[in-house]
Amino acid sequence: MNIKKRCASLLPLLFFIISAGLYAQTIRLSPDEAVQMAIKSNLGLESSRTSLETKKRASELSWNQFIPSVTVAGSLMKDNNATTASGVVPSVDLSTLLNPIYGTFNSSLPPAMQIPLLPAETLYAVTPYSVDVSPWRLAGTIQASLNLNFAMFENMKRLSLDYHGGLITYEKIKAQLERDIRKSYHNMLLLQENIALLRTAYANVERQVQMAQANYNAGLAPELTLLQAQVARENMRPTIDQAENGLKLSMAQFAMFLGMDYTTPFELEPITHNEEYAPLDVTEMISRASKEKPEIKELKQTIAMLESARTATVYSLTPSLTLSWNNNSILVGPWDNSWFNGDNWMNTGSLTISLGLRLHSLIPFSADFQGIKNMDDQIKTANLGLSQMINGTEIEVYNTVLSLERLRTSTAAQAQTVRIAEQAYRLTEQAYQAGLQDYFQVQNSLQSLQQARVQMLEQQFNYVNGLIDLEYSIGVPFGTLSGRSNQ
């Protein structure tokens, strides 16, 4: 029984260990997979997506401004003073009393002298009355109105422009996110490559320490050479630790950027750089960037919205047609009678069609007129900003293309430098092993090789990142240019 209880108590711990093992499973990511995860989980993009849905709904339902406004109200009122109703009511039909007398009297007269009989129910004796009326009144009101103006149609157009502007903004944020994800991916690969080179250099230094130890034991090298090799080895450890910590921090930030926990382990798929470079026509790139750069398209849409808002303001100064209808019903009969008796209700109402014009808004110094002038200034300022942005984009693309061409040529030259540095280090190490070179020359040769390799890696990754920036600027799908430099 005790064994069963112990096993039962260990089940939650076992479940936790299994869950932790599954959670800690390393995820392997490619650049495209990282981008897809970011698009689904990034909070900034989700906020933009929500704003876009709001604008889409407003655009699709822009016709609802033509729905009349309808108001229904009910009131219960009480008179401050008592109300008395007075009058007369018929009591006796006189025709039933007089006609028999007239008939008896007429029987003794010739026809020409006979008195005509009274029509039935035409002459009554009346009785006066006076009653107290209830001070409470019940009233109901229904009112509908609709204002029509040319500005309403322009507002529908403006809401459509606002939605399309939201689409452009969403695509811009999405493109920025993909650009940043891909560049961060390449930067982490560069850190990994740099750490790998540092570890290779550390292994070479460790091997040199072993050679110095062997030479010192054999009496072929002084103790100073051994100490120098040991110091060089220990000096490399902080550099490697710092680089590894930097990579861990970058990977934690990258994981959170993808909507994952910062402790989620993942590894990156390596990217192989080939010798082919994307041909770049600077004139074509500048022409496309001046039209397709997301920021330029967004500003153009903003200008279109400003122009539509100005048109709507102008249309609001034109005559407005107002249609209104109302009906009021008041219960005037006694409360104890049936409420559905139409005689107990008093109904009033009207249909109104009016055409109005705000004459004061047509004065050049009025607030509405000055508001139009202010919007003209805003549109002018926005167009000037657009021209500046286009000019800046042209310079930016021109500089990017020049930098890419420089990186292309310098990378080819750097590859030759790496080959020379590798050969120099190999010969220096052989000479040191034979006792023909001292340790400082070996260390300098290794440092030169390390710098050459790091510079070559940086140039390769900078070239790909430059292509990614260029793809964003000219508005083409990512990989159109940078994919040619990656396998």
Side-chain angles (χ1 to χ4, degrees), residues 45-94:
L45 189 61
E46 181 64 26
S47 176
S48 177
R49 190 182 293 114
T50 302
S51 177
L52 179 61
E53 288 297 326
T54 302
K55 295 181 178 181
K56 179 182 180 181
R57 185 168 57 252
S59 176
E60 292 177 346
L61 300 178
S62 60
W63 53 267
N64 59 13
Q65 59 186 325
F66 294 100
I67 300 177
S69 60
V70 180
T71 304
V72 178
S75 304
L76 182 62
M77 301 172 289
K78 181 180 180 298
D79 296 334
N80 293 329
N81 300 320
T83 304
T84 302
S86 60
V88 293
V89 295
S91 58
V92 179
D93 186 0
L94 295 180

Side-chain angles (χ1 to χ4, degrees), residues 274-345:
N274 56 32
E275 300 296 331
E276 297 182 2
Y277 292 92
L280 303 176
D281 187 344
V282 63
T283 303
E284 180 186 358
M285 297 298 168
I286 290 176
S287 177
R288 296 192 62 170
S290 61
K291 299 176 182 177
E292 301 298 331
K293 188 177 182 180
E295 286 80 2
I296 292 178
K297 295 172 67 176
E298 185 180 35
L299 184 53
K300 287 181 178 179
Q301 190 68 19
T302 301
I303 294 174
M305 290 181 58
L306 287 174
E307 292 174 345
S308 179
R310 181 193 183 280
T311 303
T313 304
V314 173
Y315 284 165
S316 66
L317 306 181
T318 59
S320 299
L321 179 65
T322 302
L323 306 176
S324 63
W325 174 84
N326 66 85
N327 182 73
N328 300 315
S329 297
I330 302 176
L331 179 64
V332 295
W335 285 63
D336 54 352
N337 289 352
S338 175
W339 286 17
F340 299 99
N341 187 353
D343 296 335
N344 294 334
W345 291 87

Side-chain angles (χ1 to χ4, degrees), residues 80-246:
N80 293 329
N81 300 320
T83 304
T84 302
S86 60
V88 293
V89 295
S91 58
V92 179
D93 186 0
L94 295 180
S95 64
T96 60
L97 297 177
L98 297 179
N99 283 339
I101 298 174
Y102 290 164
T104 303
F105 183 73
N106 289 337
S107 62
S108 60
L109 296 176
M113 298 179 61
Q114 291 182 359
I115 301 173
L117 299 178
L118 296 174
E121 298 181 354
T122 59
L123 183 62
Y124 286 91
V126 295
T127 302
Y129 73 92
S130 177
V131 295
D132 293 332
V133 180
S134 174
W136 292 96
R137 298 286 186 272
L138 183 65
T141 302
I142 180 171
Q143 182 176 1
S145 62
L146 175 63
N147 295 323
L148 298 176
N149 192 284
F150 288 111
M152 300 173 67
F153 299 95
E154 189 62 30
N155 286 333
M156 295 180 63
K157 177 183 176 181
R158 183 174 57 83
L159 289 174
S160 177
L161 289 174
D162 188 31
Y163 169 60
H164 288 291
L167 280 175
I168 294 175
T169 300
Y170 174 76
E171 293 298 330
K172 183 197 73 172
I173 297 176
K174 181 180 176 181
Q176 289 176 343
L177 177 63
E178 183 171 356
R179 177 196 62 187
D180 295 340
I181 288 293
R182 292 184 181 276
K183 292 180 67 174
S184 297
Y185 192 98
H186 286 87
N187 290 335
M188 287 188 295
L189 285 179
L190 176 60
L191 287 174
Q192 288 181 345
E193 295 288 346
N194 192 16
I195 292 173
L197 291 177
L198 288 174
R199 288 174 178 170
T200 301
Y202 183 83
N204 291 333
V205 172
E206 179 67 30
R207 186 161 51 87
Q208 292 168 8
V209 170
Q210 294 175 0
M211 288 191 304
Q213 183 70 52
N215 290 337
Y216 173 73
N217 294 335
L220 301 177
E223 184 180 4
L224 178 60
T225 301
L226 175 61
L227 294 176
Q228 289 173 343
Q230 292 174 346
V231 169
R233 179 188 61 188
E234 297 303 321
N235 286 338
M236 291 192 67
R237 288 180 178 176
T239 303
I240 296 176
D241 292 339
Q242 183 178 2
E244 290 178 344
N245 289 334

